[in-house]
Amino acid sequence: MSKENVLNTLNAALAKASLPEAKRHQPLAVLPTPEGSYMAAFQQALEALGGTSQMVENVVAARLAVLAILQREKAKQVLGWDEKVMPVPGLQQALADLGIIYRVPTITSGSGRGDISWLNDYPVSLTSAGVGIASTGTLILRSGPGRPRVASLVAPLHIVLLPATDIWPTLEAWLGFLRASGQVVDFFGDGVAQQIWISGPSRTADIELMLTLGVHGPRRVHVIIIET
Amino acid sequence: MKIRQSRSDFRQRVRASLADENLRISLQNLGRRMDKDRQQRWAETQDINALRRQAQAVRLDGLRHLPELLETLEAKVLARGGHVYWAEDAIAANEYILDVAHQHNVQRIVKSKSMTSEEIGLNRALQDAGLEVLETDLGEYILQLAGQPPTHIVAPAVHLRISDIARLFHEKLGMPETYDIELLTAAARSRLRRQFLRAEMGITGANFAVAETGTLAMITNEGNGRFVNSLPPLHVAIVGVEKVIRSLEDLLLLLQLLPRSATGQTLTSYVSLYNGPARPDDPDGPGEFHLVLLDNGRSRLLADGYGEILTCIRCGACMNACPVYQAIGGEAYGWVYPGPMGSVLTPLLQTEKASELPFASTLCGACRDACPVMIDLPRLLLRLRSQASEAQRLTLERLGFHLWANVATDPGHFHRAQKWGHIASLLLGLGKALRRAPWPLSRWTQMRYFPSVAQESFSHYWVRRQQNGREQSTGNPEGTSSEN
Ligand code: SF4
C-alpha cells in the first residue's frame, strides 16, 4: 500500500530528523488594520492594483450603475450569477428590458458537454462577492448553486456587487469573525468546492518582468459597493 | 526528470552562462527589480521579522506533525468525494496520473505552473504516452515553445529577452515579429484560451495544503490556474508532502509572506482555494478530483538531518538575492530548483550527482537574510560540502593541507617555502597573478586567478621596516594613517 509505505517512511524519518527549535507564537502576528473607513481603504487598495470601484447608496442605485456600465460598454450579452444569490433584485428583468441577454452558465462535467467556446462571446460578466477585504482590495467569491466559477473568469470586464457591510479590514479579522460565529463551514465546509480571492485584474510579468494586465483572467475589475 | 549534471557539465554551463550577454542583462534586471521589490515591501511591513519567525515556526510545526496532518487532509478530501494517492517517488506519481488520464480517455491536458511536476518530469511521462500537455502560465508556455527548462521558480522565463520571445512567437506561432508586449501576450492568451475550452484534464500544483479543512491553496497572477481547475472535467493536483500546514490561520500567515517575498505584492491577483470535485448541484467545475501526495526523497532528506529545507515556501527570494545566481542564472544549476535553495535541494533529491552545487556559493548569507521562513541555507550548504569532501577522503587537496600543516608549523620550513614559492611563481607566470597554472593548480585557475607569491615575504619585510625605522627615526610607519 503506497499510503502505509509513505507514512512509515515519514514516521521513521521524523524519529531521526533534527529540526531547528522554533516556538509557535500565540497569537500570530497580524498586519495593522487600515485606518478610517473600510470602504475607502478597500477602494484605495483596489485602485492601487489597477481595479476600479464606485460607491452607491442602495440596491436601486446599484442596479442603475450596472445598467449604465453595460450601456457604456455597448454590451449585448452578459454572463453572470443567478439573481437569487446576488444582493440586487430585479437585475435580470432590467437587462431584458434593455435587450441585453443575461446568461447564468452551466457547464456539465461529464460527457456531452459539447463545444463551450460560446464562453468567449461575453464581453462582460457580473457577480457579487460574499466578502471584501480592505487592506488588500480583495474580493472573496465562492462556487456553489447559482454561482458558476467561469462567471468571474472568462470575460474581459468583471463587474462585482459588494455590500459595504461585508467589507472586513483584513483577512485575519474576517477569519476571526468566522471562527467566533461558527461560520467557517460557510466558506470552507462541504458545500464549497472552490473559492477564489480576487485582488485586482489578471496580471503577468513573465516577459522581461514588465507588467501586463489581463493575460488570462479579466483585464478590468469594477466593484460597485452598496452602502445599505 | 533526468538530471543534466556532472562536474565538467556544471563548469561548462557556468562558462556558457557567463559569456551570454543577453543573460547578463536579464539577470541584472532581475536583481534590480525582484530583489528590490521584496526589500521594499519588507521594509514597509511592520514587524517583518516577527512575521518571519512565526512563519518559520508554523512550517516547522507542520513538518513535525507531517503524518497526522497528511491523514487529516486525506480524510477531508475523501469526504468531499475526491481521490487521494500517496506517491513514494516520481515514477509512482507519473504512473498514477497517466492511469487516471487513460481511464478517462484523456487526449489533451492543460497545466498550470508546478515546480513539483517539473521535479518528477510529469510532462515527459505524459507526452511519451502520446498525450498532449500544454503549459498555460505565460512564462512556462514560452519555455515550452522554446523547448527550454524553467530557470527561476517564480519567473520561469526570466532569462529570455523580449527579442528572443518576439522571434520565438514569429517562428512558432507565425505572427509578425513584434516587441509589443501587449500583442505578444494577446497572442498567447487567445491560443491558450482555445485549449482551456477543449482540455479534458487539468493539472495544478498547490502552494499549501490546509489539513484542518482539506483545502489546497494556489496563488497565481495570470488566472491560468483558475482555468485549469475550473474548466476541464477532471482535475489532478500534485503536491509535495511537505506543503501541508495545520490551519487556516497558518495559511493566512504564510500568505502574508509568500507574495511579499516572491514578487513584492501584498497578495497575488488570485488565491484559489479548492477541496475536492465540484459538488453535485454546482453549475460548473471538475466532476472528478485527484490529489497526489508526493514524497520523492523528502523523507530521506528529513532523516538525513536536512529537514529544514522542507520548510521552503518556493518564493524565489534566495535566488533573487544571490550573487552567484545573478552571475550564472538558473540554467547553470542543471535542474528544476536553482539558486541557493536548489543547491541544497538538488543534491539531496537527486543524490550523488550534483555534489558540485553546494560549492557554487560564496556563503555570503544573502539568501538566509532574504528567506521569509529563515532557512539557514549557508549552514545546510556547508553541511553538504563537508559531506561531499568526507566522501572523497585522501584526495590531493587533503594531501596538500597535510603538507601545508607540516610547513606552517616549522619556522625553518616556512621560510624556505616562501622563498621557493616566489621563485616557482616567477617560473610559472611572471605576472602579478597566475591566470593559468599547471595541474593540479589548474583546477583553481580555471575559475579564478591564483595570486603570485610576493617577491619579499611579510616577515622579511617587517624585520627590514623595523631596522630602517630605527636608523631613520621616522615615527610613522607606512600603513597607519597620519590623518585625523
Ligand atoms: S529557501 Fe527561502 S528564500 Fe529560497 S525559495 Fe525557499 S522560502 Fe524562498
PDB file of all heavy atoms in Angstrom, chain A residues 187-219:
ATOM      1  N   PHE A 187     -17.628  28.873   4.372  1.00  0.00           N
ATOM      2  CA  PHE A 187     -16.622  29.137   3.346  1.00  0.00           C
ATOM      3  C   PHE A 187     -15.698  27.947   3.100  1.00  0.00           C
ATOM      4  O   PHE A 187     -15.135  27.805   2.027  1.00  0.00           O
ATOM      5  CB  PHE A 187     -15.788  30.372   3.724  1.00  0.00           C
ATOM      6  CG  PHE A 187     -16.524  31.658   3.509  1.00  0.00           C
ATOM      7  CD1 PHE A 187     -17.428  32.126   4.467  1.00  0.00           C
ATOM      8  CD2 PHE A 187     -16.361  32.382   2.341  1.00  0.00           C
ATOM      9  CE1 PHE A 187     -18.134  33.303   4.261  1.00  0.00           C
ATOM     10  CE2 PHE A 187     -17.057  33.560   2.130  1.00  0.00           C
ATOM     11  CZ  PHE A 187     -17.944  34.020   3.088  1.00  0.00           C
ATOM     12  N   PHE A 188     -15.518  27.125   4.120  1.00  0.00           N
ATOM     13  CA  PHE A 188     -14.563  26.025   3.979  1.00  0.00           C
ATOM     14  C   PHE A 188     -15.206  24.664   4.240  1.00  0.00           C
ATOM     15  O   PHE A 188     -14.521  23.671   4.385  1.00  0.00           O
ATOM     16  CB  PHE A 188     -13.378  26.238   4.928  1.00  0.00           C
ATOM     17  CG  PHE A 188     -12.601  27.482   4.614  1.00  0.00           C
ATOM     18  CD1 PHE A 188     -12.894  28.680   5.243  1.00  0.00           C
ATOM     19  CD2 PHE A 188     -11.590  27.451   3.666  1.00  0.00           C
ATOM     20  CE1 PHE A 188     -12.185  29.836   4.948  1.00  0.00           C
ATOM     21  CE2 PHE A 188     -10.878  28.601   3.366  1.00  0.00           C
ATOM     22  CZ  PHE A 188     -11.171  29.797   4.008  1.00  0.00           C
ATOM     23  N   GLY A 189     -16.507  24.625   4.295  1.00  0.00           N
ATOM     24  CA  GLY A 189     -17.192  23.379   4.587  1.00  0.00           C
ATOM     25  C   GLY A 189     -17.482  22.577   3.326  1.00  0.00           C
ATOM     26  O   GLY A 189     -17.002  22.900   2.236  1.00  0.00           O
ATOM     27  N   ASP A 190     -18.299  21.524   3.501  1.00  0.00           N
ATOM     28  CA  ASP A 190     -18.565  20.595   2.411  1.00  0.00           C
ATOM     29  C   ASP A 190     -19.235  21.252   1.209  1.00  0.00           C
ATOM     30  O   ASP A 190     -19.082  20.802   0.081  1.00  0.00           O
ATOM     31  CB  ASP A 190     -19.456  19.449   2.917  1.00  0.00           C
ATOM     32  CG  ASP A 190     -18.691  18.555   3.883  1.00  0.00           C
ATOM     33  OD1 ASP A 190     -17.447  18.684   3.931  1.00  0.00           O
ATOM     34  OD2 ASP A 190     -19.334  17.749   4.581  1.00  0.00           O
ATOM     35  N   GLY A 191     -19.977  22.321   1.435  1.00  0.00           N
ATOM     36  CA  GLY A 191     -20.761  22.906   0.345  1.00  0.00           C
ATOM     37  C   GLY A 191     -19.953  23.721  -0.661  1.00  0.00           C
ATOM     38  O   GLY A 191     -20.430  24.020  -1.748  1.00  0.00           O
ATOM     39  N   VAL A 192     -18.747  24.100  -0.272  1.00  0.00           N
ATOM     40  CA  VAL A 192     -17.969  24.994  -1.132  1.00  0.00           C
ATOM     41  C   VAL A 192     -16.784  24.248  -1.747  1.00  0.00           C
ATOM     42  O   VAL A 192     -15.798  23.963  -1.084  1.00  0.00           O
ATOM     43  CB  VAL A 192     -17.450  26.214  -0.337  1.00  0.00           C
ATOM     44  CG1 VAL A 192     -16.769  27.206  -1.266  1.00  0.00           C
ATOM     45  CG2 VAL A 192     -18.589  26.870   0.423  1.00  0.00           C
ATOM     46  N   ALA A 193     -16.901  23.926  -3.027  1.00  0.00           N
ATOM     47  CA  ALA A 193     -15.830  23.176  -3.685  1.00  0.00           C
ATOM     48  C   ALA A 193     -14.631  24.072  -3.968  1.00  0.00           C
ATOM     49  O   ALA A 193     -13.487  23.648  -3.888  1.00  0.00           O
ATOM     50  CB  ALA A 193     -16.327  22.559  -4.988  1.00  0.00           C
ATOM     51  N   GLN A 194     -14.908  25.322  -4.302  1.00  0.00           N
ATOM     52  CA  GLN A 194     -13.816  26.223  -4.646  1.00  0.00           C
ATOM     53  C   GLN A 194     -14.175  27.636  -4.226  1.00  0.00           C
ATOM     54  O   GLN A 194     -15.320  28.060  -4.333  1.00  0.00           O
ATOM     55  CB  GLN A 194     -13.583  26.191  -6.168  1.00  0.00           C
ATOM     56  CG  GLN A 194     -12.343  26.950  -6.615  1.00  0.00           C
ATOM     57  CD  GLN A 194     -12.579  27.768  -7.877  1.00  0.00           C
ATOM     58  OE1 GLN A 194     -13.588  28.440  -8.029  1.00  0.00           O
ATOM     59  NE2 GLN A 194     -11.621  27.721  -8.786  1.00  0.00           N
ATOM     60  N   GLN A 195     -13.222  28.339  -3.691  1.00  0.00           N
ATOM     61  CA  GLN A 195     -13.422  29.781  -3.533  1.00  0.00           C
ATOM     62  C   GLN A 195     -12.195  30.475  -4.079  1.00  0.00           C
ATOM     63  O   GLN A 195     -11.101  29.930  -4.116  1.00  0.00           O
ATOM     64  CB  GLN A 195     -13.694  30.165  -2.088  1.00  0.00           C
ATOM     65  CG  GLN A 195     -12.527  29.952  -1.165  1.00  0.00           C
ATOM     66  CD  GLN A 195     -12.879  30.416   0.251  1.00  0.00           C
ATOM     67  OE1 GLN A 195     -13.034  31.592   0.499  1.00  0.00           O
ATOM     68  NE2 GLN A 195     -13.026  29.444   1.157  1.00  0.00           N
ATOM     69  N   ILE A 196     -12.446  31.705  -4.518  1.00  0.00           N
ATOM     70  CA  ILE A 196     -11.361  32.422  -5.154  1.00  0.00           C
ATOM     71  C   ILE A 196     -11.280  33.809  -4.538  1.00  0.00           C
ATOM     72  O   ILE A 196     -12.290  34.458  -4.330  1.00  0.00           O
ATOM     73  CB  ILE A 196     -11.583  32.448  -6.688  1.00  0.00           C
ATOM     74  CG1 ILE A 196     -10.548  33.310  -7.381  1.00  0.00           C
ATOM     75  CG2 ILE A 196     -12.962  32.875  -7.079  1.00  0.00           C
ATOM     76  CD1 ILE A 196      -9.314  32.545  -7.664  1.00  0.00           C
ATOM     77  N   TRP A 197     -10.061  34.176  -4.182  1.00  0.00           N
ATOM     78  CA  TRP A 197      -9.821  35.530  -3.658  1.00  0.00           C
ATOM     79  C   TRP A 197      -9.231  36.349  -4.794  1.00  0.00           C
ATOM     80  O   TRP A 197      -8.154  36.027  -5.306  1.00  0.00           O
ATOM     81  CB  TRP A 197      -8.849  35.486  -2.475  1.00  0.00           C
ATOM     82  CG  TRP A 197      -9.340  34.649  -1.325  1.00  0.00           C
ATOM     83  CD1 TRP A 197     -10.561  34.054  -1.192  1.00  0.00           C
ATOM     84  CD2 TRP A 197      -8.598  34.308  -0.137  1.00  0.00           C
ATOM     85  NE1 TRP A 197     -10.627  33.358  -0.003  1.00  0.00           N
ATOM     86  CE2 TRP A 197      -9.438  33.504   0.662  1.00  0.00           C
ATOM     87  CE3 TRP A 197      -7.316  34.605   0.323  1.00  0.00           C
ATOM     88  CZ2 TRP A 197      -9.032  32.993   1.899  1.00  0.00           C
ATOM     89  CZ3 TRP A 197      -6.907  34.099   1.547  1.00  0.00           C
ATOM     90  CH2 TRP A 197      -7.765  33.304   2.324  1.00  0.00           C
ATOM     91  N   ILE A 198      -9.943  37.369  -5.179  1.00  0.00           N
ATOM     92  CA  ILE A 198      -9.539  38.172  -6.330  1.00  0.00           C
ATOM     93  C   ILE A 198      -9.030  39.534  -5.860  1.00  0.00           C
ATOM     94  O   ILE A 198      -9.759  40.263  -5.190  1.00  0.00           O
ATOM     95  CB  ILE A 198     -10.728  38.377  -7.296  1.00  0.00           C
ATOM     96  CG1 ILE A 198     -11.254  37.019  -7.782  1.00  0.00           C
ATOM     97  CG2 ILE A 198     -10.331  39.269  -8.471  1.00  0.00           C
ATOM     98  CD1 ILE A 198     -12.523  37.114  -8.619  1.00  0.00           C
ATOM     99  N   SER A 199      -7.811  39.864  -6.210  1.00  0.00           N
ATOM    100  CA  SER A 199      -7.262  41.184  -5.870  1.00  0.00           C
ATOM    101  C   SER A 199      -6.836  41.877  -7.163  1.00  0.00           C
ATOM    102  O   SER A 199      -5.718  41.711  -7.632  1.00  0.00           O
ATOM    103  CB  SER A 199      -6.073  41.051  -4.920  1.00  0.00           C
ATOM    104  OG  SER A 199      -6.423  40.284  -3.780  1.00  0.00           O
ATOM    105  N   GLY A 200      -7.753  42.617  -7.732  1.00  0.00           N
ATOM    106  CA  GLY A 200      -7.442  43.372  -8.946  1.00  0.00           C
ATOM    107  C   GLY A 200      -7.496  42.521 -10.197  1.00  0.00           C
ATOM    108  O   GLY A 200      -7.910  41.363 -10.173  1.00  0.00           O
ATOM    109  N   PRO A 201      -7.068  43.100 -11.326  1.00  0.00           N
ATOM    110  CA  PRO A 201      -7.120  42.395 -12.601  1.00  0.00           C
ATOM    111  C   PRO A 201      -6.052  41.309 -12.709  1.00  0.00           C
ATOM    112  O   PRO A 201      -5.089  41.309 -11.942  1.00  0.00           O
ATOM    113  CB  PRO A 201      -6.844  43.490 -13.639  1.00  0.00           C
ATOM    114  CG  PRO A 201      -6.643  44.756 -12.904  1.00  0.00           C
ATOM    115  CD  PRO A 201      -6.561  44.471 -11.459  1.00  0.00           C
ATOM    116  N   SER A 202      -6.247  40.425 -13.668  1.00  0.00           N
ATOM    117  CA  SER A 202      -5.232  39.428 -14.010  1.00  0.00           C
ATOM    118  C   SER A 202      -3.975  40.141 -14.491  1.00  0.00           C
ATOM    119  O   SER A 202      -4.043  41.147 -15.183  1.00  0.00           O
ATOM    120  CB  SER A 202      -5.800  38.538 -15.127  1.00  0.00           C
ATOM    121  OG  SER A 202      -4.788  38.047 -15.961  1.00  0.00           O
ATOM    122  N   ARG A 203      -2.830  39.626 -14.098  1.00  0.00           N
ATOM    123  CA  ARG A 203      -1.584  40.301 -14.471  1.00  0.00           C
ATOM    124  C   ARG A 203      -0.452  39.303 -14.675  1.00  0.00           C
ATOM    125  O   ARG A 203      -0.496  38.179 -14.187  1.00  0.00           O
ATOM    126  CB  ARG A 203      -1.181  41.296 -13.387  1.00  0.00           C
ATOM    127  CG  ARG A 203      -0.937  40.618 -12.030  1.00  0.00           C
ATOM    128  CD  ARG A 203      -0.537  41.627 -10.973  1.00  0.00           C
ATOM    129  NE  ARG A 203      -1.551  42.651 -10.829  1.00  0.00           N
ATOM    130  CZ  ARG A 203      -1.292  43.948 -10.648  1.00  0.00           C
ATOM    131  NH1 ARG A 203      -0.060  44.354 -10.551  1.00  0.00           N
ATOM    132  NH2 ARG A 203      -2.264  44.817 -10.538  1.00  0.00           N
ATOM    133  N   THR A 204       0.561  39.720 -15.411  1.00  0.00           N
ATOM    134  CA  THR A 204       1.758  38.902 -15.544  1.00  0.00           C
ATOM    135  C   THR A 204       2.965  39.810 -15.661  1.00  0.00           C
ATOM    136  O   THR A 204       2.846  40.975 -16.036  1.00  0.00           O
ATOM    137  CB  THR A 204       1.695  37.989 -16.786  1.00  0.00           C
ATOM    138  OG1 THR A 204       2.860  37.143 -16.793  1.00  0.00           O
ATOM    139  CG2 THR A 204       1.689  38.784 -18.081  1.00  0.00           C
ATOM    140  N   ALA A 205       4.128  39.280 -15.330  1.00  0.00           N
ATOM    141  CA  ALA A 205       5.383  39.999 -15.565  1.00  0.00           C
ATOM    142  C   ALA A 205       6.383  39.011 -16.157  1.00  0.00           C
ATOM    143  O   ALA A 205       7.573  39.111 -15.946  1.00  0.00           O
ATOM    144  CB  ALA A 205       5.902  40.607 -14.274  1.00  0.00           C
ATOM    145  N   ASP A 206       5.852  38.042 -16.908  1.00  0.00           N
ATOM    146  CA  ASP A 206       6.705  36.954 -17.382  1.00  0.00           C
ATOM    147  C   ASP A 206       7.604  37.358 -18.545  1.00  0.00           C
ATOM    148  O   ASP A 206       8.528  36.649 -18.881  1.00  0.00           O
ATOM    149  CB  ASP A 206       5.859  35.741 -17.777  1.00  0.00           C
ATOM    150  CG  ASP A 206       5.655  34.814 -16.582  1.00  0.00           C
ATOM    151  OD1 ASP A 206       6.334  35.018 -15.562  1.00  0.00           O
ATOM    152  OD2 ASP A 206       4.824  33.899 -16.673  1.00  0.00           O
ATOM    153  N   ILE A 207       7.309  38.480 -19.204  1.00  0.00           N
ATOM    154  CA  ILE A 207       8.202  38.946 -20.265  1.00  0.00           C
ATOM    155  C   ILE A 207       9.026  40.110 -19.723  1.00  0.00           C
ATOM    156  O   ILE A 207       8.495  41.182 -19.438  1.00  0.00           O
ATOM    157  CB  ILE A 207       7.406  39.359 -21.528  1.00  0.00           C
ATOM    158  CG1 ILE A 207       6.596  38.160 -22.043  1.00  0.00           C
ATOM    159  CG2 ILE A 207       8.360  39.879 -22.604  1.00  0.00           C
ATOM    160  CD1 ILE A 207       5.778  38.441 -23.283  1.00  0.00           C
ATOM    161  N   GLU A 208      10.289  39.859 -19.536  1.00  0.00           N
ATOM    162  CA  GLU A 208      11.240  40.864 -19.027  1.00  0.00           C
ATOM    163  C   GLU A 208      10.739  41.588 -17.790  1.00  0.00           C
ATOM    164  O   GLU A 208      11.046  42.761 -17.582  1.00  0.00           O
ATOM    165  CB  GLU A 208      11.614  41.861 -20.135  1.00  0.00           C
ATOM    166  CG  GLU A 208      12.543  41.249 -21.157  1.00  0.00           C
ATOM    167  CD  GLU A 208      13.344  42.293 -21.934  1.00  0.00           C
ATOM    168  OE1 GLU A 208      13.279  43.484 -21.589  1.00  0.00           O
ATOM    169  OE2 GLU A 208      14.041  41.892 -22.875  1.00  0.00           O
ATOM    170  N   LEU A 209       9.969  40.908 -16.974  1.00  0.00           N
ATOM    171  CA  LEU A 209       9.449  41.456 -15.724  1.00  0.00           C
ATOM    172  C   LEU A 209       8.629  42.728 -15.930  1.00  0.00           C
ATOM    173  O   LEU A 209       8.509  43.551 -15.034  1.00  0.00           O
ATOM    174  CB  LEU A 209      10.592  41.726 -14.732  1.00  0.00           C
ATOM    175  CG  LEU A 209      11.439  40.502 -14.345  1.00  0.00           C
ATOM    176  CD1 LEU A 209      12.601  40.923 -13.460  1.00  0.00           C
ATOM    177  CD2 LEU A 209      10.592  39.460 -13.633  1.00  0.00           C
ATOM    178  N   MET A 210       8.067  42.891 -17.128  1.00  0.00           N
ATOM    179  CA  MET A 210       7.236  44.067 -17.377  1.00  0.00           C
ATOM    180  C   MET A 210       5.771  43.712 -17.171  1.00  0.00           C
ATOM    181  O   MET A 210       5.297  42.680 -17.630  1.00  0.00           O
ATOM    182  CB  MET A 210       7.477  44.589 -18.803  1.00  0.00           C
ATOM    183  CG  MET A 210       8.819  45.289 -18.914  1.00  0.00           C
ATOM    184  SD  MET A 210       9.050  46.079 -20.506  1.00  0.00           S
ATOM    185  CE  MET A 210       9.707  44.736 -21.465  1.00  0.00           C
ATOM    186  N   LEU A 211       5.074  44.579 -16.484  1.00  0.00           N
ATOM    187  CA  LEU A 211       3.700  44.309 -16.102  1.00  0.00           C
ATOM    188  C   LEU A 211       2.743  44.376 -17.298  1.00  0.00           C
ATOM    189  O   LEU A 211       2.761  45.323 -18.064  1.00  0.00           O
ATOM    190  CB  LEU A 211       3.265  45.328 -15.042  1.00  0.00           C
ATOM    191  CG  LEU A 211       1.840  45.153 -14.522  1.00  0.00           C
ATOM    192  CD1 LEU A 211       1.724  43.871 -13.719  1.00  0.00           C
ATOM    193  CD2 LEU A 211       1.433  46.351 -13.673  1.00  0.00           C
ATOM    194  N   THR A 212       1.920  43.341 -17.439  1.00  0.00           N
ATOM    195  CA  THR A 212       0.876  43.333 -18.448  1.00  0.00           C
ATOM    196  C   THR A 212      -0.411  42.864 -17.780  1.00  0.00           C
ATOM    197  O   THR A 212      -0.384  41.898 -17.015  1.00  0.00           O
ATOM    198  CB  THR A 212       1.215  42.355 -19.593  1.00  0.00           C
ATOM    199  OG1 THR A 212       2.577  42.534 -19.948  1.00  0.00           O
ATOM    200  CG2 THR A 212       0.342  42.598 -20.801  1.00  0.00           C
ATOM    201  N   LEU A 213      -1.508  43.535 -18.062  1.00  0.00           N
ATOM    202  CA  LEU A 213      -2.777  43.170 -17.428  1.00  0.00           C
ATOM    203  C   LEU A 213      -3.614  42.292 -18.354  1.00  0.00           C
ATOM    204  O   LEU A 213      -3.485  42.342 -19.572  1.00  0.00           O
ATOM    205  CB  LEU A 213      -3.574  44.423 -17.057  1.00  0.00           C
ATOM    206  CG  LEU A 213      -2.936  45.352 -16.016  1.00  0.00           C
ATOM    207  CD1 LEU A 213      -3.881  46.489 -15.671  1.00  0.00           C
ATOM    208  CD2 LEU A 213      -2.555  44.583 -14.760  1.00  0.00           C
ATOM    209  N   GLY A 214      -4.478  41.498 -17.738  1.00  0.00           N
ATOM    210  CA  GLY A 214      -5.461  40.738 -18.496  1.00  0.00           C
ATOM    211  C   GLY A 214      -4.891  39.602 -19.308  1.00  0.00           C
ATOM    212  O   GLY A 214      -5.280  39.390 -20.454  1.00  0.00           O
ATOM    213  N   VAL A 215      -3.976  38.835 -18.728  1.00  0.00           N
ATOM    214  CA  VAL A 215      -3.389  37.787 -19.550  1.00  0.00           C
ATOM    215  C   VAL A 215      -4.332  36.604 -19.738  1.00  0.00           C
ATOM    216  O   VAL A 215      -4.556  36.171 -20.856  1.00  0.00           O
ATOM    217  CB  VAL A 215      -1.983  37.370 -19.060  1.00  0.00           C
ATOM    218  CG1 VAL A 215      -2.001  36.955 -17.620  1.00  0.00           C
ATOM    219  CG2 VAL A 215      -1.415  36.273 -19.919  1.00  0.00           C
ATOM    220  N   HIS A 216      -4.944  36.102 -18.679  1.00  0.00           N
ATOM    221  CA  HIS A 216      -5.962  35.048 -18.856  1.00  0.00           C
ATOM    222  C   HIS A 216      -7.301  35.475 -18.256  1.00  0.00           C
ATOM    223  O   HIS A 216      -8.329  35.342 -18.872  1.00  0.00           O
ATOM    224  CB  HIS A 216      -5.519  33.732 -18.219  1.00  0.00           C
ATOM    225  CG  HIS A 216      -4.372  33.087 -18.910  1.00  0.00           C
ATOM    226  ND1 HIS A 216      -4.448  32.624 -20.196  1.00  0.00           N
ATOM    227  CD2 HIS A 216      -3.110  32.831 -18.507  1.00  0.00           C
ATOM    228  CE1 HIS A 216      -3.284  32.104 -20.557  1.00  0.00           C
ATOM    229  NE2 HIS A 216      -2.451  32.225 -19.540  1.00  0.00           N
ATOM    230  N   GLY A 217      -7.237  35.960 -17.049  1.00  0.00           N
ATOM    231  CA  GLY A 217      -8.453  36.417 -16.379  1.00  0.00           C
ATOM    232  C   GLY A 217      -8.808  37.824 -16.844  1.00  0.00           C
ATOM    233  O   GLY A 217      -8.178  38.366 -17.746  1.00  0.00           O
ATOM    234  N   PRO A 218      -9.847  38.427 -16.209  1.00  0.00           N
ATOM    235  CA  PRO A 218     -10.326  39.747 -16.625  1.00  0.00           C
ATOM    236  C   PRO A 218      -9.237  40.822 -16.576  1.00  0.00           C
ATOM    237  O   PRO A 218      -8.469  40.888 -15.632  1.00  0.00           O
ATOM    238  CB  PRO A 218     -11.424  40.057 -15.606  1.00  0.00           C
ATOM    239  CG  PRO A 218     -11.865  38.730 -15.099  1.00  0.00           C
ATOM    240  CD  PRO A 218     -10.657  37.851 -15.125  1.00  0.00           C
ATOM    241  N   ARG A 219      -9.262  41.658 -17.580  1.00  0.00           N
ATOM    242  CA  ARG A 219      -8.325  42.771 -17.634  1.00  0.00           C
ATOM    243  C   ARG A 219      -8.822  43.931 -16.768  1.00  0.00           C
ATOM    244  O   ARG A 219      -8.055  44.725 -16.271  1.00  0.00           O
ATOM    245  CB  ARG A 219      -8.222  43.221 -19.097  1.00  0.00           C
ATOM    246  CG  ARG A 219      -7.174  44.246 -19.348  1.00  0.00           C
ATOM    247  CD  ARG A 219      -7.346  44.816 -20.748  1.00  0.00           C
ATOM    248  NE  ARG A 219      -6.307  45.788 -20.996  1.00  0.00           N
ATOM    249  CZ  ARG A 219      -5.121  45.484 -21.530  1.00  0.00           C
ATOM    250  NH1 ARG A 219      -4.853  44.242 -21.882  1.00  0.00           N
ATOM    251  NH2 ARG A 219      -4.219  46.409 -21.705  1.00  0.00           N
TER     252      ARG A 219
END
